[in-house]
Amino acid sequence: MKAQYTKYTLDFKRPSGTSRGILTQKETWFLILEEKDHLGIGECGILRGLSVDDVPEYEEQLAWVCDNIHLSEVELLNRLQEFPSIQFGLEQAFRSLKSSNPFELFPSEFTQEEAPISINGLIWMGDESFMLSQLEQKLEEGFRCIKMKIGALDFEKEIAILESIHKNFGPDEIELRVDANGAFTPHEALGKLQRLSEYQLHSIEQPIKAGQSVEMAVLCKNTPLPIALDEELIGVFDVTEKEELLQTIQPQYIILKPSLVGGFSGSLEWIDLAKEQGIGWWVTSALESNIGLNAIAQWTYTLGNQMPQGLGTGSLYTNNFESPLEVGHGNLYYKSNKNWKKDLIKSLCI
Ligand SMILES: O=C(O)CCC(=O)C1=CC=C[C@@H](O)[C@@H]1C(=O)O
């Protein structure tokens, strides 16, 4: 078997704001496996500034994987504990190589076009009118679950936006989720959650910065609206540590980003623990290209979670890859007639 890797830079259609900053480009890497006339591809979706494997030796690790591709998949994955996005890329690449169609990794009703995946629409940070115009557009597109980034604007302005949504749409018309990306201080957080709870939100992602588990546990115990842990899961790889974290914090939900938590296997460990502890969960992208998003979507469908998933990020980029994924009416569809260009993988090969 031969293996190679290549880098690709995705360009955002427009600067996309989170409380952690404005995104204009996203770096990503592809692992390409070749065996006889079979090709396999996997996306290593590092998120600079957020991924635990955002380290100087990242490319070196990719080179090591390619030089040692003769090792077993299990051995390679075990050696990549500290590189969750490479673990994920490798999991995808091996599945893709074994599949008759390198882009059909998890055949299901989804890939048979018999069932879509319900997804949330995403509203990025910006001034009030920009956020309201994004909202209008998402509602016109038929989304009934909306995720809004908060934490960077003046809080009263964000409350005003929620107020205007709430005045026009009841919770049975729109499921509203917010994502603070850790923007609140532990001291102010409960007060802000109480204000936010007046708008019958479904949940809030990561209200305070990760790594403050005592404060987060107190919040989850007293919160008037469900809390979902996102960044909190990054960098926790040992299954016992995962179990302890959930037992300590007891969140209402956890959010799985396979590129950040160690791929399919790392995510499944969290999901199994969450189920044991009665904690809800859903899956989101980490802004991968359509190659990684396709793999995440197909896998997510097999998990049977009926909640809207955070997989509506395929249209963010000007130079994304063509894909069978299509968004419509708040759902993600798989259109197998829109085949990936067979030469896509070849075009990425060095
Ligand atoms: O949850 C979604 O709808 C899409 C994914 C998403 O919002 C994010 C992915 C990666 C980094 C962030 O920009 C953001 C998040 O913080 O969840």
Side-chain angles (χ1 to χ4, degrees):
M1 187 191 306
K2 278 195 321 174
Q4 56 183 291
Y5 66 88
T6 185
K7 185 178 182 180
Y8 190 81
T9 303
L10 293 155
D11 300 316
F12 278 79
K13 283 177 183 166
R14 61 175 174 223
S16 296
T18 79
S19 61
R20 266 196 321 272
I22 305 264
L23 304 169
T24 56
Q25 283 197 318
K26 185 191 171 312
E27 168 192 343
T28 195
W29 300 74
F30 297 102
L31 264 175
I32 298 151
L33 307 182
E34 213 168 332
E35 192 169 45
K36 302 189 186 80
D37 60 352
H38 274 276
L39 283 173
I41 185 167
E43 180 166 358
C44 307
I46 188 168
L47 248 180
R48 295 288 179 189
L50 186 58
S51 297
V52 70
D53 45 8
D54 175 8
V55 291
E57 62 274 19
Y58 189 82
E59 184 172 358
E60 211 180 294
Q61 199 62 34
L62 281 168
W64 178 86
V65 169
C66 293
D67 296 343
N68 293 278
I69 200 66
H70 55 275
L71 298 173
S72 73
E73 183 178 353
V74 173
E75 192 171 354
L76 285 165
L77 291 173
N78 285 342
R79 301 247 200 124
L80 290 167
Q81 274 274 333
E82 309 293 317
F83 293 86
S85 64
I86 301 181
Q87 264 184 331
F88 187 35
L90 197 57
E91 283 181 330
Q92 293 166 57
F94 273 114
R95 255 189 179 265
S96 167
L97 185 73
K98 292 175 196 141
S99 171
S100 55
N101 168 352
F103 294 110
E104 194 167 319
L105 284 69
F106 295 90
S108 69
E109 293 86 3
F110 176 64
T111 58
Q112 302 308 316
E113 300 187 40
E114 288 154 14
I117 299 170
S118 166
I119 59 173
N120 62 265
L122 187 55
I123 295 182
W124 294 92
M125 291 257 81
D127 62 31
E128 203 170 338
S129 62
F130 173 52
M131 293 180 80
L132 285 172
S133 67
Q134 290 179 74
L135 174 72
E136 266 153 44
Q137 192 199 339
K138 293 292 173 200
L139 295 172
E140 262 155 43
E141 291 167 3
F143 282 95
R144 284 298 164 264
C145 178
I146 301 285
K147 162 175 169 172
M148 191 174 107
K149 298 274 179 188
I150 62 170
L153 275 187
D154 165 64
F155 189 63
E156 292 313 319
K157 280 221 175 82
E158 290 169 346
I159 290 288
I161 295 172
L162 292 171
E163 180 81 38
S164 65
I165 299 172
H166 194 62
K167 240 193 262 123
N168 297 299
F169 302 93
D172 49 352
E173 287 169 284
I174 290 189
E175 177 178 305
L176 201 49
R177 303 173 179 177
V178 293
D179 182 357
N181 290 121
F184 303 159
T185 65
H187 177 68
E188 68 185 358
L190 193 55
K192 290 197 171 179
L193 293 176
Q194 261 135 14
R195 289 288 309 283
L196 290 166
S197 67
E198 292 163 26
Y199 303 98
Q200 292 158 300
L201 302 180
H202 167 272
S203 56
I204 179 168
E205 291 182 31
Q206 203 68 39
I208 62 173
K209 272 200 178 19
Q212 308 175 93
S213 43
V214 175
E215 292 85 348
M216 187 69 96
V218 172
L219 268 184
C220 289
K221 192 161 184 303
N222 303 304
T223 183
L225 83 143
I227 289 175
L229 299 185
D230 184 3
E231 289 88 337
E232 201 77 42
L233 309 186
I234 299 173
V236 184
F237 300 116
D238 175 73
V239 69
T240 319
E241 280 175 39
K242 290 179 180 180
E243 189 168 19
E244 281 161 13
L245 182 141
L246 295 182
Q247 274 161 353
T248 306
I249 298 180
Q250 296 187 24
Q252 286 72 32
Y253 292 103
I254 60 171
I255 294 170
L256 293 310
K257 289 179 167 58
S259 289
L260 305 185
V261 301
F264 304 130
S265 50
S267 305
L268 280 172
E269 263 183 7
W270 281 113
I271 291 171
D272 292 344
L273 290 167
K275 284 180 179 168
E276 280 165 27
Q277 299 186 28
I279 295 167
W281 54 273
W282 73 86
V283 176
T284 88
S285 81
L287 313 184
E288 296 85 354
S289 81
N290 280 328
I291 292 174
L293 184 63
N294 171 59
I296 297 170
Q298 290 187 23
W299 172 72
T300 300
Y301 181 83
T302 66
L303 304 172
N305 181 327
Q306 298 310 315
M307 292 176 69
Q309 309 289 309
L311 303 175
T313 50
S315 59
L316 287 175
Y317 305 116
T318 58
N319 57 343
N320 207 338
F321 304 101
E322 266 202 54
S323 93
L325 301 176
E326 224 172 76
V327 171
H329 316 293
N331 287 322
L332 186 66
Y333 296 89
Y334 189 91
K335 300 284 179 193
S336 52
N337 63 354
K338 276 176 56 181
N339 273 331
W340 301 81
K341 286 207 180 63
K342 280 280 168 281
D343 58 3
L344 168 61
I345 302 180
K346 282 215 163 42
S347 70
L348 286 168
C349 291
I350 305 168

